[in-house]
Amino acid sequence: MTVPRTLLSLLVTLVVAGCTGPGQAIAPQRIDREFDTSWIRWRTGERVFFAYKVFEDGGKAAICGVWAEDGAAKDLLNLELVRSMAVDIAGRRLVHSIAFFRKADAVENVRDISANCVRTDVDWTASFDRSPAELVTTRRRFSA
């Protein structure tokens, strides 16, 4: 059986992407005042909430985060959004996806759970201490 070249390259891409994660999982952390927060609002009015923290762990940059949906629509578009979000600091991309962030069942319950955390392979630098971490979306269009 012959596999078309485009299908083969797609499968290889999926396998490689599945093997590369944001970093090594480390101990979860409780949400506290050190976490930054951010909202993204859809045109329909529903919102997605994020709480995240970037810090030094063992000489590497580490990230903890949670997210929650706010509004009537709780659907796959929010998952696509989360998968497309990256974390940058001081001009460096720390992770290409925040899919490892823990999902809270409601915004009101975010402080009642611990955030999932990873240690990236990015060395911690002094410039990270002086720069705010940013959640950035790598996609601008989403469709149902």
Side-chain angles (χ1 to χ4, degrees):
M1 177 173 112
T2 318
V3 178
R5 191 177 302 246
T6 55
L7 178 59
L8 182 60
S9 63
L10 174 63
L11 289 173
V12 169
T13 301
L14 289 173
V15 168
V16 170
C19 294
T20 58
Q24 175 187 357
I26 58 175
Q29 291 193 9
R30 298 293 291 180
I31 308 298
D32 61 22
R33 294 176 190 256
E34 293 182 16
F35 277 71
D36 292 316
T37 59
S38 182
W39 291 89
I40 291 183
R41 181 184 302 271
W42 295 104
R43 287 184 187 157
T44 55
E46 287 86 11
R47 302 180 304 170
V48 182
F49 172 80
F50 302 93
Y52 60 98
K53 174 174 139 178
V54 174
F55 58 100
E56 185 271 332
D57 184 75
K60 301 291 185 180
I63 305 165
C64 295
V66 299
W67 69 281
E69 298 164 310
D70 184 49
K74 297 183 193 288
D75 56 29
L76 293 177
L77 285 181
N78 290 333
L79 276 177
E80 283 186 47
L81 173 68
V82 169
R83 289 180 184 136
S84 76
M85 300 292 289
V87 178
D88 293 351
I89 189 169
R92 291 284 311 268
R93 173 119 329 145
L94 299 181
V95 292
H96 294 278
S97 172
I98 61 169
F100 68 91
F101 277 24
R102 184 169 181 190
K103 183 175 187 264
D105 59 352
V107 174
E108 300 79 30
N109 300 334
V110 164
R111 295 205 184 274
D112 298 333
I113 65 171
S114 294
N116 287 345
C117 303
V118 298
R119 181 184 308 115
T120 71
D121 60 356
V122 176
D123 291 330
W124 186 263
T125 68
S127 65
F128 293 174
D129 288 322
R130 299 183 303 271
S131 302
E134 298 178 289
L135 283 182
V136 295
T137 182
T138 60
R139 286 178 57 190
R140 296 287 182 232
R141 295 188 181 271
F142 298 88
S143 59

